[in-house]
Each structure stands twice: as C-alpha cells, then as structure tokens.
Amino acid sequence: MGKFSRLGHELYTGGKSYDFVGRRPLWYAISGGIVLVALLIVILRGFNFGVEFTGGTQYQLSGLTSSQATQGTVDELRQAIADSEVPGAEEPTVATSGDAGIIIEVEELSQANADKLIDVIKGVVDVDDDQISPSEIGASWGKTVAKRAIIGVTVFVLIAMLFIAVYFREWKMSVAAFIALFHDVVITMGVYSLSGFSVTPSAVTGLLAILGFSLYDTVVVFDKIRENSQPGTLRKSKLSYPEAANLAVNQTLVRSINTSIVALIPIGAILWVSAVQLGASSLKDLALAQFVGMAAGVFSSVWVAPRILVHLKANEDEVKLAERRARARARREVDKYAAVPAYTDDMPVQEAPEGIDLDSLEEGEIDFEGDDGPVVRRGPAATGFGTGRIAPPARGPVEESGAAGRPQPTRKPRSQRGKQ
C-alpha cells in the first residue's frame, strides 16, 4: 500500500505521468474497434430474450411440504429441466413461492414437450397432476418494461447532458460524456449478447444502473480538467490544454481505480455465486450487466472522454495560444542558450522593432524574444567556439579558490557590500 500511495502522490503532483490523451489515432482505433466488434456481435447473434419479453409457460407447484419447497429442491429442478433437453426449457427460471410452492417458467412449449417437462418435474418432486398448474405468460408486460426503459434512458440522458453543460458551462463536455456513455452501453450489450444470458427485466435494470456510474466517473475527471485548465492556472502551470487534461486524468486515476475495485468486487461476487453456484438467472442477469458496464465506465472515463474533449477543444483560440506558449517554453528549457546563433559575417541583418535602439546594445546582448526564442542583435557570441552559446556574466568579482582549484565568483559579507 505504501508504494501505491507514493504512486498516487507522484501522479497527483506530476512527478510521474501516463499519457492518456496523446496517441490519438492509436487509441481511437482501439476504442472504435471494440465498439465495432460489440455492434457486430449484437447484429449477428442478437439477444436471448426471456419469457417476460417473448411470452412462455409458467408451472405452479402447490401443496408441497416444507421439506420439498426448499432451495435445494429448486436447484435440483433447475438442473434436471436444463439437462432434459426439452426444446424451449434449456434455461428455466425456478424459484420458491411461499412455504409450500415452487414456480417454474419456461418458453412456450408444444403439448408433447409440455408432457415431457411434467414427467421431469415428477421425477424430482413427488407431486400429483392436480398439484401442477400450467398457465400462459404473455409478452405484454415485458414489452411495457422495455418501452418504459427506453423512455427512462432517453429522459435520463437528456437531463444528464443538460446538467453537465450548465455545470461546466461547456457543451463540448456534454458531447464527450455522451460519446463515452454510448461506448459503455454498446460494450455491455455486446458482452451480454456474447454470453447468451437471457434478457430479463433484471438485465434492463442493471443496464440503467451503469449509466449513472459511468457519468459519475466522467464528471469527476472533467471537474479536475476544468480546475487545471483555467486561463490563469494554465499560465501559472506553464502547461498546454492537452497537458493539463492529461495531468487531471493522472490526478484522478487512483481514485478511479479505488472506486472501481470497491464497486466491482461485490458485483463480481454476486455474478460468480448466481451464475456458477446457484444458477439464479435474475441475479446473474443483473450482475453481468453491472459488472461489464462499470468496468467499461472506468475505461471510458480515463481513455475515451478526456481524449474526445481535448479533440473538440483543439481549435479554440485560448487552447491554441496555450499550446504555442508551451511549445516555445519547451524549446527554451531544453537549452536556454541554444537558440542564440553564432555570429558570422554573412549573417542577415534584421530590422529592429519599434522603440529599440540597436546602438545602445552591448556586444552579445539579448534584445528581445522572437517567435523562435531569444534573439541576439549585436556583436559576436561571447564564446569563441562557434557554438552559439552566451556565457552568463559573473555576479561578483572572480578570484582564485583554494577549495575548487580554479577561479570562482566571490561574494562579500553583507556588512561589506557597497564599500570600497
């Protein structure tokens, strides 16, 4: 934990940085490829809709003893029906109903397959024919749930985008957050289609739950980007807008990882128990949608949303100005004197800016800064090696130093300064 804490401190202060905003073509290709694959899976495989959406048959077992209406009997019935290979009953939904009943839901069956299913039930539970009550399940309820879910998602997205635009006073952040949200939903749908799990109301509920988690993480990152990219902050930090955005992602990276781990551990445990041990479809449908959506939400808030935001703001005047300042500053900081040209006889003469008297300048004096850095306007370079470097003048008298073995600048005590 100590190393992780130090890493978080270095990421926050800028001592260590990972490039999440750069390499735009590469990361766009990776994210776009993942989304494209997910869409192709959905188109080619489709979804395995549950009986709530397609309709089916429900078998109510009543009059059972307390020793029969148990979770053990439910698990045994589910396994026996799934192994019976009755068409339409490959993924049954089995649950207890009160203290003396069990409910079994399967797809719509023909009369012959229904008789086979009843024989399987009787082979597990000692019941008579009058204790088994079949009934048809209509698809109208599932369609109503789907319709209201679509309406709910649309309203939620519109309100969330409006809130982000008003809070940050930046519509481009709303667009970036929406694209990241679309990225998460499509990936979740692709994984769900690939898994073959039944689409139930629980799965729809899980899909709706990940919308809020994805936007929450994105808003936290955007808030840090806004803090780092204020005009005064950019000038003080000497960063360009992409650098400030990348710093914000690094500063929130540890928080994003911690939040995702805390959220994914219990969801993963529910998914494992429900899918592997219990086989409870309602739980595994909910857990799978939430687990995949939360993991995709962390990825999009770190790699997708900030990069899209930087891309959208790249043409703004303030962003361009900060970028030019950062490039010029980077060139100067590589070597403060490398931009000073060595004097040659055929060096072209440049006109002095208005208000600058060239005759008043000493040899090798730096007059002003041009677009490419400091410019020497008069005299040869102070060094005689043709390197273009100007040695800075000593701040005090130079005398021999016994300790260094060479001439060193000396400095008088404060009480002796200014005296002859």
Side-chain angles (χ1 to χ4, degrees):
M1 292 303 294
K3 293 182 178 180
F4 194 70
S5 300
R6 288 194 297 270
L7 175 62
H9 177 71
E10 291 177 354
L11 291 173
Y12 193 87
T13 57
K16 190 177 185 65
S17 178
Y18 298 102
D19 190 6
F20 295 105
V21 175
R23 299 181 181 180
R24 184 185 302 170
L26 173 63
W27 287 107
Y28 274 171
I30 294 175
S31 300
I34 295 174
V35 172
L36 180 60
V37 170
L39 286 174
L40 289 176
I41 292 174
V42 172
I43 294 173
L44 297 178
R45 289 180 57 92
F47 293 105
N48 180 24
F49 289 98
V51 295
E52 295 89 353
F53 294 95
T54 61
T57 306
Q58 181 184 88
Y59 293 87
Q60 173 77 42
L61 307 186
S62 58
L64 303 179
T65 62
S66 58
S67 61
Q68 290 177 316
T70 62
Q71 185 61 44
T73 304
V74 167
D75 294 339
E76 189 178 355
L77 266 174
R78 184 185 298 109
Q79 190 64 41
I81 295 173
D83 295 340
S84 66
E85 298 182 355
V86 175
E90 294 87 354
E91 293 187 3
T93 301
V94 186
T96 57
S97 176
D99 297 332
I102 294 177
I103 295 178
I104 304 170
E105 293 181 355
V106 295
E107 298 179 10
E108 188 174 354
L109 304 178
S110 63
Q111 186 60 46
N113 290 331
D115 294 339
K116 293 180 181 179
L117 180 62
I118 292 176
D119 292 339
V120 173
I121 295 174
K122 288 182 177 180
V124 177
V125 184
D126 185 14
V127 292
D128 298 328
D129 290 338
D130 57 356
Q131 291 179 276
I132 303 176
S133 304
S135 60
E136 297 297 324
I137 301 176
S140 58
W141 183 75
K143 293 179 179 179
T144 302
V145 171
K147 181 179 179 180
R148 293 183 178 179
I150 294 174
I151 295 174
V153 169
T154 303
V155 173
F156 167 80
V157 170
L158 290 177
I159 294 176
M161 296 303 101
L162 180 61
F163 170 78
I164 293 175
V166 172
Y167 178 73
F168 292 107
R169 298 185 178 90
E170 178 63 76
W171 64 268
K172 294 178 181 178
M173 287 189 173
S174 293
V175 175
F178 176 77
I179 295 175
L181 186 63
F182 176 79
H183 168 276
D184 300 341
V185 172
V186 171
I187 291 178
T188 304
M189 293 171 60
V191 173
Y192 206 93
S193 175
L194 185 63
S195 69
F197 285 13
S198 297
V199 178
T200 63
S202 297
V204 176
T205 303
L207 188 65
L208 293 176
I210 68 173
L211 301 180
F213 182 88
S214 175
L215 284 179
Y216 164 75
D217 212 28
T218 302
V219 166
V220 171
V221 176
F222 280 179
D223 191 58
K224 196 63 181 178
I225 292 177
R226 181 183 64 170
E227 178 182 338
N228 290 352
S229 61
Q230 297 292 336
T233 306
L234 279 180
R235 295 190 187 96
K236 184 177 179 181
S237 63
K238 301 179 180 180
L239 298 175
S240 63
Y241 187 87
E243 292 171 340
N246 192 71
L247 175 61
V249 178
N250 280 272
Q251 289 174 329
T252 57
L253 180 63
V254 173
R255 187 213 62 83
S256 298
I257 294 176
N258 290 338
T259 303
S260 62
I261 291 176
V262 171
L264 289 176
I265 287 177
I267 299 297
I270 295 174
L271 179 61
W272 169 262
V273 171
S274 59
V276 177
Q277 297 183 346
L278 298 180
S281 59
S282 59
L283 283 179
K284 72 180 182 181
D285 298 341
L286 174 65
L288 178 63
Q290 288 189 335
F291 188 87
V292 177
M294 288 182 178
V298 175
F299 176 81
S300 66
S301 65
V302 173
W303 269 280
V304 179
R307 184 173 291 106
I308 293 175
L309 177 61
V310 171
H311 193 174
L312 292 175
K313 293 180 69 67
N315 293 325
E316 293 185 3
D317 294 338
E318 186 67 27
V319 174
K320 289 181 178 179
L321 180 60
E323 183 71 23
R324 287 197 296 268
R325 287 199 300 261
R327 286 200 301 266
R329 190 178 299 110
R331 286 195 299 267
R332 291 196 298 269
E333 289 179 353
V334 170
D335 190 336
K336 296 182 179 180
Y337 303 104
V340 181
Y343 178 78
T344 58
D345 293 336
D346 58 348
M347 180 177 291
V349 178
Q350 300 182 10
E351 296 294 334
E354 295 184 6
I356 299 298
D357 184 8
L358 292 180
D359 295 332
S360 64
L361 299 177
E362 302 294 335
E363 274 195 17
E365 184 176 351
I366 297 177
D367 178 13
F368 64 93
E369 292 190 357
D371 293 336
D372 296 325
V375 178
V376 174
R377 292 302 179 182
R378 285 187 60 81
T383 58
F385 304 102
T387 60
R389 299 176 182 268
I390 301 293
R395 297 186 178 181
V398 179
E399 299 179 359
E400 290 292 337
S401 172
R406 61 179 184 274
Q408 292 286 340
T410 60
R411 190 175 185 183
K412 294 182 179 180
R414 180 173 298 181
S415 60
Q416 299 296 324
R417 294 176 192 173
K419 296 181 182 181
Q420 297 296 332

